[in-house]
Amino acid sequence: MFRYGLFLLILSLFISCQEESNPSSSIGGNDDDWLIPTNQIYDGGPGQDGIPSIDDPSFVGVGNTTFLTNDELVVIYKEGDKVRAYPHAILNWHEIVNDDVLSEEICVSYCPLTGSTVGFDRNLSSESAAGETTYGVSGLLYNNNLILYDRLTESYWSQMLMKSVHGEFLGEDAKIVPLIETTFATLKKLYPGVEILSNQTGIYSSSQYQTYPYGDYKTNNNRLLFPVTNDDQRLPRKDRVLGVVTDQGSKAYTFDDFQNSINVINDQIDGVPVVIAGSRSMNFMVAYIRQDADGNAIELQATDAQLPAVMEDAGGNVYDIFGNIIDGPDQGRSLQNTKSFMAFWFAWGAFYPDIEIH
Amino acid sequence: MRVYAILLISIMFGSMPYPSYSQACCSAGTPLLSSMDVSTTPAGSGHLAVTYVYNQLQDVFSGSEKIEGFRQRLSQSLIWELSYGINQRWSVTGIFSWQQQTRRLNSPNQQQSLNRLTTDGMGDALILIKYNILPLNIIQQRQIALGAGLKLPTGKSNLRDRGFLLPADMQPGTGSWDGVFWAYLYQGFLPKITANIFLNTSFRLNGTNNRYGLENSDFSGYRFGNEWVVNVGGAYRTLSRFDFSIVARYRQTAMDEFGGVSVSNTGGRWLYVSPGVNLNFSQFSLRFSGEWPVYRKLNGVQLTTSYKLDASIFYQLQF
């Protein structure tokens, strides 16, 4: 009798330690509520906000940036004359930076598992909700890729689909802000006056950002952490590729398409005229719709003008790396942005199975 | 005769279990491997143990360097062990378990939430056959035993939260059939010293589960890294009800595998020190112990055990 009593005592102590019940099904789990198949969404491990976003970023000048080497990747955002850069070294640990740049409220998102950087406008509007939000890391992954959530409506957003996949904004396209990925060395040549996200984040110690938290993941082509819906092996999985998404189709460009000097490719994606500028040694590729103010397709070529100029057209206009005409008769006008960003090849193949390779 | 009886009882209690719970990092399932009695069970008798394990994981390591973390994990286990001595040479042990995992953030980051999630359920089971190469006797006070067994995937390994498959380390089971190999060496020193020393080692050869349940995919199965544990310790028996023990525990796990390729941030090497105290009564004994890491070298960046506490109750059953 005594034995059974002790058993029951220990069992009851254990049960009383249970602070929460089993996971519930309060949201999700129903494909009707989601734009993507829920059986292919995985909990990445840390949980919501387990990877903490940076919501109050501080910045330093190039001269005070001692924690970056020249070949480390950074993400650039430009608004007016203000240029800011967000190092992968910091984004690896936070994935999201909610920032205000002049009058723009932006979210810089980076997924280390798919190597993808996408900028989101933080102003949301729908029939029932509107306002400025911040984004956080939901802890969920689809095709190894970050799913963000907005703190205004708790809607979920697939980074690489650039759409809301659950919640109030279900099915709506995200408002994308253009970002450019390149190296710290190129950044310094492009914009010496750039403000760089400080490694004094107030969340982790500055030394922690020297550590890449995923081992050899970014270079090991065999290594994935979660299943993908389409394992496209036309290119090595971890090749960094520029993907361009239009309403008509999508196309991928690799650094093999470019030389060390800046090259320009005038191309079409299912009838949409695009221009791709890039340089292998400078480690960047960018894409724009190549149309003039009247909507006519134009041809561009590499320019001899100084950086940040990268292209020029036959009319004497010179374009900077963000597609802005910085010199010439149409100065002040800009090329239309594409939905394009850098990511590992496997992710492009998983999200856009019909993607062409240039 | 009375002296021999006292010696025999002393040896039996002196070789009472010193459980060694092998789960240390964010690994799935119940820490079954070393929870088993490190001794064998005398012929015709049984041995019943119930153990509660409280495992707090809030240290984040990059290699052997402690870095800052933002989350923590609490793993609680309840383990039932039943052993039976078939004869002087052979005995069998069965272990069944219940597992609860809780993850939460350490602190809110501005307007961010303190996300918290708890899972629980029956864990995996272990069946082990032990063979006494050198049965324990009063004169030599030495025992050498070997064992082999099977870990059965009785625990769920596909729990979901809001419909989404949870990570492997939040599952109560591993989902795989694993082979287990075990060896034990004991030496007592009665009547000169009321103390003994022991060594036990175990190895778990893990199978692959079907965690993702995908057909015709290279990415359906997940395999936890093989695990090797060595415990070296000693126990001192006092004239009172109390015994004291100290164990040094070395644990090494290989990297997990997914899609046939090793997984970043898994596997490593740990060394723990584990002091404990036994309270002996006529029909049962109680044991309380703690475990603290003294050395950790992990592959990549991992959340790992900060400390562990356990409490056990042991019965000797006569059939």
Side-chain angles (χ1 to χ4, degrees), chain A residues 3 6-7 14 18-20 24 27-29 43 45 48 53 55 151 156 205 208 213-214 223-224, chain B residues 50 68 76 98 100 103 109-110 112 115-116 118 120 162 164-166 258 262 264-265 313 315 317:
Chain A
R3 298 172 184 176
L6 274 174
F7 266 117
F14 182 74
Q18 298 183 14
E19 292 153 335
E20 285 185 10
S24 65
I27 69 162
D43 184 316
Q48 181 169 299
S53 62
D55 301 328
R151 294 180 178 127
Y156 287 71
S205 67
Q208 191 151 323
Y214 297 95
R223 189 163 285 171
L224 293 181
Chain B
V50 182
E68 291 176 69
Q76 297 178 89
W98 183 269
Q100 183 188 74
R103 77 177 179 198
N109 181 22
Q110 298 183 5
Q112 297 167 1
N115 184 263
R116 184 190 186 100
T118 298
D120 54 57
R162 302 171 296 169
F164 311 124
L165 185 64
L166 285 166
F258 171 61
S262 57
S264 307
N265 300 340
I313 181 166
Y315 296 93
L317 306 172

Side-chain angles (χ1 to χ4, degrees), chain A residues 130-197:
Chain A
E132 181 186 329
T133 188
T134 58
Y135 287 89
V137 178
S138 72
L140 300 176
L141 297 165
Y142 174 57
N143 278 326
N144 289 268
N145 178 241
L146 165 68
I147 295 179
L148 308 89
Y149 80 100
D150 74 70
R151 294 180 178 127
L152 182 68
T153 68
E154 296 257 336
S155 293
Y156 287 71
W157 302 78
S158 166
Q159 189 211 32
M160 284 193 65
L161 283 178
M162 299 172 280
K163 285 177 183 289
S164 173
V165 292
H166 175 76
E168 193 161 327
F169 290 94
L170 176 68
E172 289 197 25
D173 288 340
K175 297 177 196 169
I176 300 300
V177 297
L179 301 172
I180 292 173
E181 182 178 292
T182 187
T183 60
F184 184 47
T186 299
L187 170 69
K188 288 185 286 188
K189 290 177 191 167
L190 287 167
Y191 300 108
V194 63
E195 296 177 346
I196 298 169
L197 180 65

Side-chain angles (χ1 to χ4, degrees), chain B residues 29 56 63 69 123 149 161 210 243 263 279:
Chain B
Q56 181 71 54
D161 173 38
N210 186 26
D243 287 353
V263 177
L279 280 80

Side-chain angles (χ1 to χ4, degrees), chain A residues 19-52:
Chain A
E19 292 153 335
E20 285 185 10
S21 60
N22 260 328
S24 65
S25 297
S26 56
I27 69 162
N30 180 354
D31 279 0
D32 294 339
D33 296 338
W34 286 78
L35 199 65
I36 50 182
T38 53
N39 64 353
Q40 289 169 27
I41 301 172
Y42 300 110
D43 184 316
Q48 181 169 299
D49 288 323
I51 295 173

Side-chain angles (χ1 to χ4, degrees), chain A residues 323-356:
Chain A
N324 304 309
I325 299 176
I326 54 175
D327 193 16
D330 294 330
Q331 186 172 352
R333 195 175 67 80
S334 302
L335 295 174
Q336 185 183 336
N337 288 308
T338 56
K339 287 183 175 176
S340 58
F341 53 90
M342 301 292 296
F344 295 139
W345 163 250
F346 84 85
W348 282 111
F351 274 92
Y352 300 91
D354 298 326
I355 192 168
E356 282 183 70

Side-chain angles (χ1 to χ4, degrees), chain A residues 28-293:
Chain A
N30 180 354
D31 279 0
D32 294 339
D33 296 338
W34 286 78
L35 199 65
I36 50 182
T38 53
N39 64 353
Q40 289 169 27
I41 301 172
Y42 300 110
D43 184 316
Q48 181 169 299
D49 288 323
I51 295 173
S53 62
I54 296 176
D55 301 328
D56 188 18
S58 59
F59 294 84
V60 295
V62 168
N64 293 322
T65 309
T66 56
F67 62 98
L68 289 178
T69 58
N70 279 336
D71 57 356
E72 288 193 69
L73 293 173
V74 296
V75 178
I76 314 172
Y77 175 74
K78 183 173 185 291
E79 175 64 26
D81 293 331
K82 179 82 83 178
V83 181
R84 283 188 169 168
Y86 309 84
H88 277 203
I90 297 174
L91 293 170
N92 282 329
W93 290 91
H94 297 284
E95 301 192 3
I96 287 175
V97 179
N98 292 295
D99 195 10
D100 295 323
V101 186
L102 297 178
S103 61
E104 298 298 313
E105 292 86 28
I106 67 163
C107 160
V108 175
S109 71
Y110 174 67
C111 177
L113 300 189
T114 50
S116 49
T117 314
V118 180
F120 292 82
D121 187 328
R122 293 199 288 112
N123 290 291
L124 298 175
S125 60
S126 71
E127 290 180 357
S128 58
E132 181 186 329
T133 188
T134 58
Y135 287 89
V137 178
S138 72
L140 300 176
L141 297 165
Y142 174 57
N143 278 326
N144 289 268
N145 178 241
L146 165 68
I147 295 179
L148 308 89
Y149 80 100
D150 74 70
R151 294 180 178 127
L152 182 68
T153 68
E154 296 257 336
S155 293
Y156 287 71
W157 302 78
S158 166
Q159 189 211 32
M160 284 193 65
L161 283 178
M162 299 172 280
K163 285 177 183 289
S164 173
V165 292
H166 175 76
E168 193 161 327
F169 290 94
L170 176 68
E172 289 197 25
D173 288 340
K175 297 177 196 169
I176 300 300
V177 297
L179 301 172
I180 292 173
E181 182 178 292
T182 187
T183 60
F184 184 47
T186 299
L187 170 69
K188 288 185 286 188
K189 290 177 191 167
L190 287 167
Y191 300 108
V194 63
E195 296 177 346
I196 298 169
L197 180 65
S198 169
N199 61 359
Q200 305 286 334
T201 59
I203 300 174
Y204 296 132
S205 67
S206 56
S207 62
Q208 191 151 323
Y209 299 108
Q210 303 295 329
T211 301
Y212 173 68
Y214 297 95
D216 67 350
Y217 178 87
K218 63 183 175 183
T219 54
N220 187 332
N221 287 309
N222 295 320
R223 189 163 285 171
L224 293 181
L225 295 188
F226 296 91
V228 290
T229 52
N230 179 46
D231 185 21
D232 192 327
Q233 300 196 24
R234 284 179 286 169
L235 294 173
R237 285 183 180 138
K238 302 295 173 58
D239 268 15
R240 288 174 56 238
V241 165
L242 178 75
V244 184
V245 180
T246 70
D247 292 339
Q248 282 72 40
S250 54
K251 200 164 190 175
Y253 300 85
T254 73
F255 280 111
D256 290 340
D257 294 323
F258 295 92
Q259 300 164 0
N260 285 335
S261 58
I262 295 173
N263 299 119
V264 171
I265 298 170
N266 293 283
D267 200 7
Q268 293 207 10
I269 301 176
D270 289 321
V272 178
V274 296
V275 59
I276 320 297
S279 160
R280 191 184 302 177
S281 64
M282 295 177 70
N283 205 325
F284 78 86
M285 289 185 277
V286 293
Y288 301 98
I289 308 289
R290 51 181 179 90
Q291 289 176 329
D292 63 17

